Every structure is written in C-alpha cells, then in structure tokens.
Amino acid sequence: MIDETVRWALREDIGAGDVTTRACVPADQRARGRFLAREPLVVAGLDLLEVIYRERGGVDNLAVLKRDGDRCQAGDVLATVRGRARTLLECERVALNFLQRLSGVATAARAFADEVEGTGCRVLDTRKTTPGLRLLEKQAAAAGGATNHRMGLFDAVLIKNNHIAAAGGVRQALENARTAGVPIEIEVRTREELREALAAGAGHLLLDNLTPEEAREWVREIAGRARVELSGGIDLSNVRAYAEAGADFVSAGAITHSARAMDISFRLELDPPAIDIERLRREFPGRTIVHYPKLDSTMRATTGLEAGAVVLADEQTAGQGRHGRSWHSEAGAGIYCSTVLKPSPVLTLALGLAAAEAIAQVSGVACDLRWPNDVMAGGKKVAGILVQLVDGAAIAGIGINVNQTAFPAELAAQATSLRLAAGREVSPTDLLIALLGAVDAFAAEPPEAILRLFARASSYAAGRRVTVELPDGAVSGTTAGLTPEGFLILRKDDGTDTLVIAGGVRAAGS
Ligand code: BTN
C-alpha cells in the first residue's frame, strides 16, 4: 500500500524521466545530500525515503538520523543519502513533499497532544485526510502523539443522524450495527437521543458541536456509562477546555486537513570529479588499466595481470594498510591504486618518491617522506605505500587522500588530504597520470639512486629525533641514514646503532 503510494507519487512527478537532470547531470556523477529541518518540527515520513530511492534504482547509502515522532530543531539533519546525483535530484521533490507534509501532520498532532497533557483525554484524528494519503497521514498523526480514529468506513461503525433516520431510530440503528462485528460509536444530538442510546447499551458516544460548558453537563449525565468523544470546531485555542470537560477523546480534523507543510530542505553536494579512465588509457596506450567503482581492495584484484598492469577503484570497502591496518577509502575522494611491478628491496621508498613527485607536480603540495612508506603533508599523512610479494611479483599499492574534506574522528589528528593541504580540489585524473609516469620513472632507477633521492627528500632519513616502535618496545634516538637494503639506522641515546627494518617511526614527542 505504501509502496504503491510512493510509486504513484514518483510517477506523477518524474513521468517518463527528469528531462532537466538528464540534460545537465552526467550519468556517472555521484553526490551526497542532507535533509535538514529549517524550523522546529516533529518529523514523520522518514521510512519513505528508503522506499523512494529503492523505487528509483537504489542509492549507495541512506542514513536516517531521526525517528518519526522526534522533536527536531532548525538545523537538525534528518537523513543523509549518497548515490548517483541523477537519482538524488529526481527524487528530491517527492521526498520533500512527503517529509514536509507528514511532518506537518505530526507537528500538528504533537501540538494538540501537548495541549491536553495531564487531562487523561486523548486526541483523535479524523478521515479528513489528503485523498490517497490516509494511511501515511494517520501514521504521522500517531507519531505526533494523536490516537488513530477509524481508518475508513470499513473498520468501525459511526452512526450519525442520517443513519439513525434511515434505520428508524437510535435503538434500531444500534441493533442493526451490531451485526457488522466492528466497534460501534453513535452520534447523539439531543438529550433524548442520549438517553435512548444509553438505554440501548451504546458504549461509545459522539457529541458534536457543543460548547465546553455544555459538554461538561452532558458528560456529567453520562456518568461513565459510555466513552465520550467530542468533536466540532476544536482547535488549539479550545482543545484543553474540551478535554477538561471530562471527555475521553477530542477529535480534531485540523491535524490532517489544516496541517502546514514544514520547512525542510535538501542540500546536495556533488562529489569531486571522478577518475576519467578513458583519458588515462589514452595517456598509457597498451597498458592494462582495470577500473572498479567499488572493490574490497585493489591489492586483491591484480591476480593474473601482467607487469605494469594497474587496478583502480573509486571506493574500497576493505582497503589494506601496512601491518594489518585498514586504509580509509571514502568513495570518490581518493586514489586507490595497485600496480604489478618487479620486486626490489627499495621499491617502497621508490614509490614514496613517485607519489611525492606526482603530488608536488599536480597540487603544488610539498611532501615529506616518513620512512619507509608514509607521504606526509604538513605533519599529517596524505598517502601511503603498501608492497606485497605475490608469486615472484611485487604488488604495489598506493593510496592518496585527494579530495576528502574530513576524516573519521579516529584519523582526524593524523590524516589529511591534498584538498585540505592545498586549499582546493585536485583532479584525480591529472594526479594519476603524473603518478603512473613517476612510478615508471622511479621503478627504473637503480637502488643506489633511490637511496640517494630518498635521503634528500625525507627529513626522517638522517639527523631526526624519532621514536620507533620495535618488537620489544619503543626506542628513541636520532636517525643516521639508510643501509644499502633501505633499512633505517637509528642511533640510540647510548651511542649504539640499531637497524629498523619495518615501520613504526614517528617524530619524537608526537
Ligand atoms: C599504509 O600506509 O599503511 C599503506 C596504505 C596503502 C593503501 C593502498 S590504497 C590502494 C591499495 N589497496 C589497498 O587495499 N591498499 C593500498
């Protein structure tokens, strides 16, 4: 039923296609969006987002951050979504229409429910709903604190004056209605009808269009023999007076028929430019370049590929770092690349040099190299190298943080991106072209040249106070150059030297 309503709304708005979006937004452009409350409100309709996006082919991620019925303040983010920009744009209006209207109903219901708080009287909604949206508006009313009255003409009897006239009287109408097997309520308009209904065993009475004072008198006469609902002209200014008249329920059509669409906005941010694979292939003709939009890790996708082949992913779900750590691989924000190379003892150092050179060339950011595999910008890591030997080949993994604008809290102190360091967006395609060229160039250099170049490019290679995590604990000292195998020499404070063969180096005091 709800799926059908959503489909109907999408069909009504999108029809044969969103011609504007198709004309202006590239099919592979990705984006993220946020639904924001722009005034205090009670939110409802959030479950529909999942249905809306599913109907349009799905999104990468939808995070609903509030629950229906939550009170929200201006500026609160209700939900975030990531996916194709086309999908987000074509669904925007329908998603907002549902959220704005249903939150309006929930907000109105909350205002009525708050107004009668402490009286023991409950606020009922009515059938005065938008055609086609009965179920959703009733769910929103309930989320806002109202109690649902009957859903339609099928699930409860409500005998009004025309029914009484047609049935031949109050008693007759009640007797006939009992065969329906659903709850029965009867409207009484005079004291005589009231007495007749009570005598006929009515358990639920509707009193319409009384003043609060009249209602109090009628309730006194009923004296608990039936439950009482008051209706007619009930609004926020008088609902408490009606509730205090002793009624069990007050019903207010205004909750649905006069609910205002709440101010909720959708903010869209386009993802930075994606990698232009065709351009890359033109720059490196004859080279195998495999591209995946999403992959666990590019390190695992090089099997069977020849030397020089490159695997790229826009996003990694299980990006690998050194020493079993993970590599944060936000979709579309970084370069996640593995390439098959000839093994060399100084390959990690050569690739760090290549990454630093490509970064400087394309973004202007000058990097330091923290032995052996960290590429640093402004004291934070901007790129990392991971080399694995598989079947006699070196699988070289290079991760560069390119256009991230923020990092998860646990990484924020040590990670940065080129965009943050350079203060502008950087083209991942330009960077990859420079990187692959630099990898080719540095991988062809003899080890002595790499050691010399690394020693020149890295403030960590010699004369730097560092702390190193060794298997039997942290050791402090001063770096004293590299061995021919590329190991780091650490001169400890007692004057003796020790060789550092794996990572774990950090500037002393950091
Ligand atoms: C490190 O600094 O710890 C090494 C990070 C290496 C990350 C890259 S991203 C591309 C390739 N695929 C992976 O899963 N890891 C490497």
Side-chain angles (χ1 to χ4, degrees):
M1 171 85 171
I2 287 177
D3 287 16
E4 187 45 45
T5 307
V6 166
R7 250 177 250 137
W8 165 75
L10 287 168
R11 217 171 23 244
E12 174 184 75
D13 198 38
I14 303 173
D18 174 353
V19 286
T20 319
T21 295
R22 278 192 198 162
C24 303
V25 182
D28 60 352
Q29 175 71 57
R30 305 196 84 78
R32 65 196 68 201
R34 288 179 305 155
F35 289 93
L36 275 177
R38 288 164 52 86
E39 64 178 324
L41 55 85
V42 175
V43 67
L46 288 167
D47 288 352
L48 296 179
L49 292 177
E50 200 269 321
V51 185
I52 291 169
Y53 292 124
R54 176 168 26 89
E55 284 296 323
R56 298 302 300 173
V59 287
D60 301 339
N61 182 268
L62 170 68
V64 176
L65 306 176
K66 302 282 182 190
R67 279 180 312 192
D68 280 8
D70 281 355
R71 293 179 199 257
C72 303
Q73 297 309 317
D76 281 359
V77 180
L78 310 178
T80 62
V81 58
R82 275 196 60 88
R84 293 176 71 218
R86 283 186 172 184
T87 309
L88 305 198
L89 281 166
E90 70 191 14
C91 293
E92 172 180 348
R93 188 68 263 158
V94 169
L96 282 175
N97 283 350
F98 276 121
L99 283 181
Q100 290 175 317
R101 277 169 175 71
L102 297 175
S103 297
V105 170
T107 304
R110 184 75 268 155
F112 275 91
D114 285 352
E115 208 45 53
V116 303
E117 199 179 327
T119 62
C121 176
R122 284 193 281 161
V123 176
L124 295 176
D125 56 20
T126 66
R127 285 167 41 240
K128 295 173 185 171
T129 53
T130 311
L133 299 187
R134 170 74 51 82
L135 178 60
L136 292 171
E137 291 188 348
K138 287 214 166 234
Q139 286 175 343
T147 299
N148 292 147
H149 207 311
R150 59 181 174 162
M151 200 53 71
L153 297 176
F154 52 87
D155 61 340
V157 167
L158 177 47
I159 304 167
K160 297 206 173 183
N161 59 326
N162 288 331
H163 305 113
I164 293 173
V170 166
R171 174 174 295 277
Q172 199 53 50
L174 280 167
E175 261 169 34
N176 294 353
R178 287 198 177 104
T179 59
V182 293
I184 300 171
E185 182 176 1
I186 183 163
E187 180 187 0
V188 287
R189 293 182 308 151
T190 62
R191 290 299 181 96
E192 204 186 342
E193 278 186 358
L194 168 64
R195 287 174 203 134
E196 228 183 308
L198 288 172
H204 197 160
L205 301 171
L206 174 64
L207 314 181
D208 195 33
N209 281 324
L210 300 182
T211 65
E213 295 69 33
E214 289 166 343
R216 191 180 291 273
E217 280 175 31
W218 285 56
V219 168
R220 199 172 301 128
E221 177 169 350
I222 294 163
R225 286 175 288 167
R227 284 179 299 154
V228 177
E229 173 187 341
L230 300 177
S231 70
I234 295 177
D235 57 30
L236 278 176
S237 70
N238 59 22
V239 65
R240 189 162 183 96
Y242 280 105
E244 286 175 343
D248 300 285
F249 306 102
V250 285
S251 54
I255 292 176
T256 46
H257 71 54
S258 301
R260 176 169 71 80
M262 303 311 290
D263 194 357
I264 298 174
S265 69
F266 182 69
R267 300 248 174 94
L268 187 90
E269 225 182 288
L270 296 177
D271 277 3
I275 297 168
D276 182 345
I277 299 297
E278 290 320 313
R279 191 175 143 218
L280 206 60
R281 290 195 174 119
R282 283 197 299 279
E283 291 285 336
F284 296 93
R287 193 160 194 164
T288 302
I289 298 179
V290 190
H291 170 249
Y292 297 88
K294 193 171 181 171
L295 197 60
D296 51 356
S297 161
T298 57
M299 299 305 279
R300 287 199 254 263
T302 55
T303 315
L305 296 182
E306 75 283 5
V310 176
V311 176
L312 299 167
D314 295 333
E315 179 183 1
Q316 296 187 118
T317 52
Q320 302 171 21
R322 274 168 62 104
H323 305 300
R325 286 193 284 262
S326 61
W327 183 257
H328 175 66
S329 307
E330 184 186 329
I335 284 181
Y336 315 115
C337 157
S338 291
T339 176
V340 185
L341 296 173
K342 203 158 84 112
S344 145
V346 294
L347 188 55
T348 300
L349 307 186
L351 294 171
L353 285 164
E357 167 131 342
I359 287 171
Q361 209 177 303
V362 174
S363 71
V365 173
C367 291
D368 192 4
L369 295 171
R370 184 169 64 184
W371 184 92
N373 70 311
D374 296 338
V375 183
M376 311 292 288
K380 292 184 173 186
K381 186 160 168 171
V382 75
I385 310 297
L386 175 67
V387 176
Q388 294 174 344
L389 289 178
V390 179
D391 297 336
I395 310 302
I398 305 172
I400 306 181
N401 300 330
V402 185
N403 283 316
Q404 288 90 340
T405 50
F407 287 88
E410 65 280 10
L411 292 179
Q414 69 241 31
T416 190
S417 70
L418 296 180
R419 178 169 171 172
L420 292 171
R424 66 175 173 87
E425 221 166 65
V426 171
S427 154
T429 312
D430 289 351
L431 187 57
L432 260 171
I433 291 169
L435 179 70
L436 295 182
V439 167
D440 286 348
F442 282 96
E445 291 286 345
E448 315 77 68
I450 295 297
L451 291 171
R452 206 176 47 248
L453 291 167
F454 191 90
R456 205 184 299 153
S458 168
S459 75
Y460 284 79
R464 175 121 193 204
R465 287 289 301 168
V466 294
T467 303
V468 184
E469 296 299 334
L470 295 176
D472 33 357
V475 180
S476 292
T478 304
T479 57
L482 303 171
T483 69
E485 302 78 23
F487 300 146
L488 182 68
I489 304 166
L490 178 69
R491 186 143 304 150
K492 292 186 285 186
D493 292 342
D494 63 7
T496 60
D497 286 351
T498 192
L499 281 191
V500 188
I501 54 173
V505 175
R506 59 189 150 86
S510 68

